[in-house]
């Protein structure tokens, strides 16, 4: 069967990476978590500038020193920043927020989008993010748009943070989810939006298993037609 490109977009904390990883495993495809690329870039910026006001010119001058990669691990993959495994360092609320902020900068997006497009040259890829079906791969054979109610996503994120030993407050996590949704959908550059030809999956009331069954059926159907 011919390999295809699967583009998965959606709001933060709606399970995009879980779906993308599982689908990539099922299909034997490469998985690319583009949020991790924005987060690793944010970590580099944070280390240089701290979390004060973002200085766009300073950030742009750093881009040439930022080299992002992925390494395979037993449970999937980890993102690297200049050769350092930064997977756990980037999964904090602080870096998530910073990633959301730097992702509004046009040049930062162009820098990462070019790398993402190069990764998809041979197809056989599942990529998740906010602009994959609209900007990175508008020609993707399968586009999925994942969504869930903000309260459901906040609860999931809250439990994930707790499991990592953090002590989150549910109201703060919900406020953060809403802020991030607003920024992701209202930014001038490549705002999060559903591609017209995307299959929408609202998983607010769906088990992971049911969701995967449905998505695998859609994937198989799409592969059969290319
Ligand atoms: O999916 P995530 O929470 O790891 O993404 C972190 C931030 O990066 C998110 O707030 C928006 C940004 N992002 C983006 O603008 N475009 C992408 N393709 C992926 C992530």
């Amino acid at each position: 069967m011919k390999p295809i490109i699967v583009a998965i977009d959606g709001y933060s904390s709606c399970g995009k990476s879980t779906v993308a990883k599982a689908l990539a495993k099922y299909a034997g495809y490469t998985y690319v978590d583009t949020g991790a690329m924005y987060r690793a870039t944010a970590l580099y910026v944070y280390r240089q500038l701290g979390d004060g006001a973002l200085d766009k010119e300073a950030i742009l001058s750093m881009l040439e020193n930022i080299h992002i990669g992925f390494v395979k691990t037993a449970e999937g993959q980890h993102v690297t920043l200049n050769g350092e495994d930064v997977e756990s360092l980037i999964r904090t609320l602080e870096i998530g927020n910073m990633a959301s902020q730097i992702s509004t900068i046009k040049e930062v997006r162009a820098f990462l989008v070019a790398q993402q497009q190069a990764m998809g040259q041979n197809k056989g890829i599942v990529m998740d993010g906010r602009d994959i079906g609209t900007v990175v791969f508008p020609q993707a054979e399968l586009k999925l748009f994942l969504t869930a109610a903000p309260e459901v996503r906040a609860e999931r994120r809250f439990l994930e943070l707790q499991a990592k030993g953090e002590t989150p407050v549910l109201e703060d996590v919900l406020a953060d989810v809403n802020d991030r949704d607003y920024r992701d959908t209202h930014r001038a550059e490549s705002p999060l939006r559903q591609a017209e030809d995307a299959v929408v999956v609202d998983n607010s009331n769906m088990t992971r298993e049911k969701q995967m069954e449905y998505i695998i059926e859609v994937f198989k159907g799409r592969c059969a037609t290319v």
Side-chain angles (χ1 to χ4, degrees):
M1 229 185 283
K2 266 203 207 155
I4 67 167
I5 293 180
V6 183
I8 304 184
D9 291 302
Y11 294 98
S12 67
S13 303
C14 63
K16 291 188 300 291
S17 62
T18 307
V19 166
K21 261 184 230 166
L23 185 58
K25 193 170 176 197
Y26 170 83
Y29 283 11
T30 301
Y31 162 56
V32 178
D33 172 0
T34 63
M37 298 173 76
Y38 286 90
R39 285 171 181 265
T41 305
L43 177 65
Y44 187 93
V45 171
Y46 175 77
R47 283 174 168 174
Q48 302 295 317
L49 302 179
D51 59 0
L54 290 180
D55 176 344
K56 183 178 157 190
E57 289 313 313
I59 293 172
L60 297 190
S61 72
M62 288 174 202
L63 293 181
E64 62 180 0
N65 300 320
I66 301 178
H67 302 283
I68 294 168
F70 290 96
V71 286
K72 281 204 164 37
T73 61
E75 78 276 18
Q77 61 173 218
H78 282 179
V79 66
T80 60
L81 170 61
N82 296 334
E84 175 191 354
D85 183 335
V86 291
E87 185 65 34
S88 59
L89 294 176
I90 61 165
R91 302 288 168 196
T92 62
L93 275 182
E94 202 172 23
I95 296 299
N97 267 323
M98 186 114 182
S100 174
Q101 288 177 52
I102 62 151
S103 71
T104 62
I105 304 173
K106 186 175 165 193
E107 293 84 350
V108 169
R109 302 201 69 82
F111 171 72
L112 294 176
V113 166
Q115 297 176 36
Q116 292 154 8
Q117 288 173 333
M119 292 174 189
Q121 258 174 358
N122 298 327
K123 302 203 176 191
I125 195 164
V126 180
M127 189 173 280
D128 75 6
R130 304 293 190 287
D131 58 341
I132 313 305
T134 52
V135 175
V136 181
F137 296 125
Q139 78 286 18
E141 289 83 358
L142 175 58
K143 299 178 186 178
L144 298 170
F145 190 86
L146 263 52
T147 173
E151 293 73 19
V152 173
R153 290 185 283 129
E155 171 96 34
R156 291 177 189 158
R157 185 92 192 104
F158 173 81
L159 295 173
E160 264 171 34
L161 290 167
Q162 265 191 341
K164 277 188 206 143
E166 293 191 33
T167 48
V169 175
L170 186 57
E171 289 70 27
D172 293 350
V173 180
L174 178 58
D176 188 74
V177 163
N178 284 325
D179 282 356
R180 218 184 297 175
D181 284 358
Y182 187 85
R183 266 206 303 273
D184 290 349
T185 51
H186 286 78
R187 66 179 176 222
E189 283 306 318
S190 313
L192 168 65
R193 66 179 176 79
Q194 186 189 317
E196 274 173 23
D197 49 351
V199 175
V200 181
V201 182
D202 181 338
N203 63 29
S204 303
N205 298 308
M206 239 188 228
T207 62
R208 279 188 183 181
E209 292 72 23
K210 273 269 161 277
Q211 174 174 234
M212 269 331 289
E213 268 173 34
Y214 173 67
I215 288 174
I216 285 174
E217 280 316 305
V218 173
F219 171 77
K220 287 201 288 198
R222 202 53 60 95
C223 286
T225 63
V226 295

